[in-house]
Structure formats: structure tokens, C-alpha cells
């Protein structure tokens, strides 16, 4: 369950989010939570000055939220990692890791010598003597950059993981279905800043089965609105958040974002077909999180294209009601990775 000695830090491309969470008897209590803008080009730049600026943002957020803990679990955006679920013969962990490294070219589109590799056994099948393995690979440069930045903020990085790893753990704890429930799958739509990731879970066992990413995210919405309306980034962000639902028809934002929404829907539809073909189970539920609240009526527009309901992943029923939850009630799905990292 929750680590009482650490809090979470999600250094995302656009926003840096922080959360301190306590979990008791399957109930989540948010003790502190907030966000600030990530320093521009943090992930793109290798200069020490940029790391210092981002460290200042983390320190200020930590101070303003009055979090006393200094151990921190850090979330890396999916776009800077590579994840895959594979089936392998049952071996000891060291032998598995060696086998994966030996066949790295088949699994990981990165230079293995420049990569941090982690794996988790999701399921063992005693009949076939095989195991289902979740592999996460991260470039060493990204890991070292984050570690240095966190240490510059006078914090101690206890764990680094990507969004999928944290969210998969959350699903296994809080979204497991009763054994007698209808067999099917759930898809989580991680609508990121520059990339959207799709996660497929077995509903009965809450096991991650499949994931894939495509390069459509919030930044594409922002760029198109800026270009079509000749406005700056801040105005585009506000227009998407408030007016994309049609409150100001003169801005005609719906016609700008509609093609992007439809392209996301096409990618989700392809993923649904692949999931049904591969596992022979229906997709029963779709949930979105991350930057979904940054585009007004995002879920409604997406489900119109999909002809299938899309809900925000908020875990509202599992989160204890308090002033912090109430303050972030409209944007809880943005903090899913931050909350998950505490588990």
C-alpha cells in the first residue's frame, strides 16, 4: 500500500505535479496535492541551468504544499520510456533479465548499453510453464537528468518509474472486478502532452495485457488553435479549457479540434479491434486521464466518434472526501499518475 515515508512527483512535459497520499483499508486520503508548470524544454535541454530552474520549481511546490517528507517517488512520462508486455519461458529473474538483454533488439528500440531496464512478472501459467512479463526501458540520460534535478531540489529519489508502471499498480489494487463478473477488458486512455498511450487491462485479474502509444497530445490541440486563431499559447490553453464546448461560437474552436479528436478515436478503435482479436474478450469500459481536463468536453467529443462511453478516471469513490479532494474535483484525473505512485 502507500509508502508512509515518501510522496510522489510527476515531472510531466507541461506540468509538474506533486501528491502526498495515505491509503487505509482501500480508501485513499489525499493529504497534499498541487502542480506548477514544468520549466520549458526541461526534457529537451541538457544544460545545468535548466536543471536548476526545474529544481527550483520542485522545491517551491514542495515548500508551498508543506510536505515534510524528503523521499520521493518520481514519475517519468511514457514518451521518454518504452514499455512492453511479453510472454517468456519461466526462468529465474536473473536468467530472465539476461535473456531479455540478449534479445533486446526484438523488444526494445533503444541501445541496451544506454538503457535502464526493469521487469515485473505479471502472471505465471503453470500449464505452459510460461510467464507474462512487463518490461520498462528508460534512457540512462533521462534517468540521470531526473535524479540530478530531484537531488538539486534537496530531495531523495526513492524510485523512478513511468506512468504506465504506476497506473498498472493502481488498477491492480483499486479496479479489480469480482471473479463472477462478466469477462472483458478495460482500456485506459492516457491523453498526454505530446503522446497518447493506450493501456489494456483484464478486468477480472486487473492484469496489464497490452499497451501502445501514438504521437497526438494536448500540444497538437494548442498549436492548431494558436495557428488558426492567431492567438498566443496562454490564450489557446484557456480557450481549449473553457470554450471548446461551444461557449464562445465566435472562436469556432470545435471545427479546429474536431479532426484531432477523430484521429484519436481512430487510434482507439484500432486498439479495440487488436484487443478483441488477440484476447477474444469485449472491451467493456474506456477511461481517460492526464490532460483530458485541458480540453473541454474531451470525453463527450471522443465518445461521439467512438459510439462508446468514455469516462474520466478519477477514483472519486475510493478517495476520501476532504477539502483537497473538493478543490481538485474537476481535475482529479490529471493526478492519477501522482496518486498511483504512492501505492
Amino acid at each position: 500500500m502507500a509508502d508512509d515515508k515518501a510522496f510522489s512527483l510527476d515531472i510531466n512535459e507541461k506540468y509538474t505535479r506533486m501528491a502526498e497520499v495515505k491509503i487505509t483499508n482501500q480508501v485513499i486520503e489525499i493529504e497534499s496535492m498541487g502542480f506548477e508548470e514544468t520549466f520549458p524544454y526541461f526534457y529537451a535541454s541538457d544544460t545545468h541551468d535548466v536543471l536548476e530552474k526545474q529544481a527550483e520549481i520542485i522545491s517551491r511546490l514542495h515548500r508551498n504544499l508543506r510536505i515534510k517528507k524528503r523521499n520521493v517517488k518520481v514519475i517519468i512520462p511514457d514518451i521518454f520510456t518504452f514499455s512492453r508486455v511479453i510472454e517468456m519461458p519461466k526462468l529465474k529473474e536473473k536468467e530472465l533479465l539476461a535473456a531479455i538483454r540478449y534479445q533486446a533488439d526484438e523488444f526494445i528500440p533503444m541501445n541496451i548499453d544506454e538503457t535502464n531496464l526493469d521487469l515485473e512478472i505479471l502472471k505465471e501459467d503453470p500449464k505452459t510453464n510460461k510467464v507474462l512479463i512487463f518490461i520498462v526501458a528508460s534512457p540512462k540520460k533521462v534517468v540521470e537528468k531526473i535524479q540530478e534535478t530531484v537531488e538539486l531540489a534537496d530531495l531523495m529519489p526513492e524510485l523512478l518509474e513511468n506512468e504506465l508502471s504506476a497506473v498498472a499498480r493502481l488498477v491492480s489494487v483499486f479496479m479489480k472486478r469480482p471473479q463472477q463478473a462478466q469477462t472483458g477488458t478495460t482500456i485506459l486512455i492516457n491523453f498526454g502532452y505530446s503522446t497518447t498511450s493506450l493501456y489494456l487491462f483484464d478486468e477480472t485479474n486487473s492484469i496489464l495485457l497490452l499497451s501502445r502509444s501514438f504521437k497526438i497530445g494536448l500540444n497538437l490541440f494548442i498549436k492548431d488553435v494558436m495557428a488558426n486563431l492567431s492567438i498566443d499559447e496562454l490564450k489557446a490553453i484557456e480557450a481549449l479549457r473553457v470554450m471548446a464546448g461551444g461557449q464562445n461560437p465566435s472562436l469556432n474552436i470545435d471545427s479546429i479540434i474536431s479532426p484531432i479528436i477523430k484521429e484519436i478515436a481512430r487510434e482507439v478503435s484500432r486498439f479495440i479491434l487488436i484487443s478483441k482479436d488477440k484476447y477474444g474478450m469485449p472491451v467493456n469500459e474506456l477511461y481517460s486521464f492526464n490532460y483530458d481536463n485541458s480540453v473541454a468536453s474531451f470525453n463527450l467529443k471522443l465518445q461521439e466518434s467512438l459510439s462508446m462511453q468514455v469516462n474520466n478516471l478519477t477514483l472519486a469513490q475510493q478517495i476520501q472526501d476532504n477539502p483537497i479532494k473538493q478543490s481538485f474535483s474537476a481535475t482529479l484525473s490529471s493526478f492519477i499518475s501522482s496518486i498511483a505512485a504512492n501505492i
Side-chain angles (χ1 to χ4, degrees):
M1 299 306 286
D3 186 342
D4 293 333
K5 297 180 181 179
F7 66 98
S8 67
L9 172 64
D10 175 8
I11 308 179
N12 219 278
E13 292 174 89
K14 183 62 178 175
Y15 297 114
T16 294
R17 303 161 180 145
M18 197 174 283
E20 184 179 21
V21 171
K22 182 168 70 175
I23 301 173
T24 308
N25 298 325
Q26 295 291 98
V27 176
I28 300 169
E29 180 184 355
I30 302 171
E31 299 183 317
S32 188
M33 193 161 72
F35 71 97
E36 283 205 24
E37 283 201 26
T38 300
F39 191 77
Y41 310 112
F42 169 67
Y43 283 104
S45 174
D46 290 325
T47 65
H48 191 73
D49 180 62
V50 169
L51 270 60
E52 289 182 336
K53 295 292 185 184
Q54 177 61 24
E56 289 174 9
I57 290 169
I58 294 169
S59 293
R60 182 167 62 248
L61 188 56
H62 182 259
R63 182 171 60 253
N64 291 343
L65 291 176
R66 299 179 180 178
I67 297 175
K68 295 181 179 179
K69 299 170 185 174
R70 308 211 76 82
N71 285 24
V72 60
K73 296 182 176 181
V74 187
I75 298 293
I76 308 172
D78 282 348
I79 188 175
F80 300 112
T81 66
F82 176 79
S83 303
R84 187 169 175 181
V85 177
I86 63 170
E87 189 177 63
M88 294 278 287
K90 186 178 179 181
L91 301 167
K92 293 181 180 179
E93 187 170 337
K94 287 185 179 180
E95 294 173 333
L96 270 175
L97 193 56
I100 290 168
R101 284 187 174 277
Y102 182 72
Q103 304 173 65
D105 291 345
E106 297 179 30
F107 307 131
I108 305 162
M110 302 177 185
N111 185 332
I112 193 67
D113 294 328
E114 299 173 0
T115 303
N116 281 4
L117 194 64
D118 194 16
L119 62 85
E120 178 184 349
I121 297 174
L122 300 175
K123 184 181 179 182
E124 296 186 13
D125 190 336
K127 293 181 180 179
T128 62
N129 207 33
K130 291 185 176 181
V131 291
L132 197 65
I133 302 171
F134 175 42
I135 302 173
V136 181
S138 309
K140 288 181 180 178
K141 283 187 176 180
V142 173
V143 172
E144 290 166 1
K145 172 187 288 189
I146 291 174
Q147 287 178 330
E148 184 177 352
T149 302
V150 172
E151 288 168 1
L152 283 170
D154 198 24
L155 300 174
M156 292 174 284
E158 183 176 292
L159 172 72
L160 271 72
E161 62 181 336
N162 68 351
E163 293 169 303
L164 173 52
S165 176
V167 172
R169 190 166 58 253
L170 178 142
V171 170
S172 69
V173 174
F174 289 101
M175 296 180 70
K176 185 173 286 189
R177 297 298 181 85
Q179 290 292 330
Q180 64 270 24
Q182 180 183 354
T183 301
T185 58
T186 293
I187 291 176
L188 303 190
I189 304 168
N190 178 358
F191 177 54
Y193 186 69
S194 57
T195 300
T196 294
S197 298
L198 305 176
Y199 312 151
L200 179 74
F201 290 91
D202 176 338
E203 288 182 343
T204 303
N205 300 302
S206 298
I207 293 175
L208 176 68
L209 299 174
L210 191 67
S211 69
R212 73 174 300 267
S213 300
F214 53 93
K215 291 187 177 181
I216 300 177
L218 177 62
N219 68 336
L220 184 58
F221 286 78
I222 294 171
K223 288 177 181 177
D224 279 14
V225 170
M226 289 173 64
N228 281 274
L229 300 182
S230 299
I231 57 179
D232 63 25
E233 183 179 354
L234 288 177
K235 288 182 180 178
I237 291 171
E238 184 61 22
L240 282 166
R241 184 182 293 117
V242 178
M243 303 175 190
Q247 295 182 31
N248 189 341
S250 65
L251 290 178
N252 197 25
I253 288 182
D254 282 352
S255 64
I256 298 171
I257 69 173
S258 179
I260 310 175
I261 292 283
K262 288 179 180 177
E263 185 56 36
I264 294 174
R266 278 192 285 269
E267 293 289 348
V268 175
S269 295
R270 291 190 195 106
F271 192 67
I272 289 173
L273 288 175
I274 292 169
S275 304
K276 288 180 177 178
D277 288 344
K278 188 168 184 177
Y279 298 102
M281 292 187 289
V283 175
N284 293 329
E285 293 182 307
L286 296 173
Y287 292 94
S288 69
F289 69 100
N290 204 351
Y291 290 95
D292 53 340
N293 297 298
S294 296
V295 179
S297 304
F298 176 82
N299 284 353
L300 290 175
K301 294 177 186 300
L302 188 57
Q303 68 187 31
E304 284 173 8
S305 295
L306 289 170
S307 298
M308 186 173 178
Q309 187 170 343
V310 183
N311 297 311
N312 292 98
L313 181 61
T314 63
L315 296 180
Q317 294 183 338
Q318 288 88 358
I319 299 176
Q320 181 178 312
D321 195 26
N322 64 18
I324 298 173
K325 177 187 175 182
Q326 292 169 11
S327 297
F328 291 97
S329 60
T331 56
L332 269 177
S333 63
S334 301
F335 290 91
I336 285 297
S337 295
S338 306
I339 292 170
N342 284 270
I343 298 171

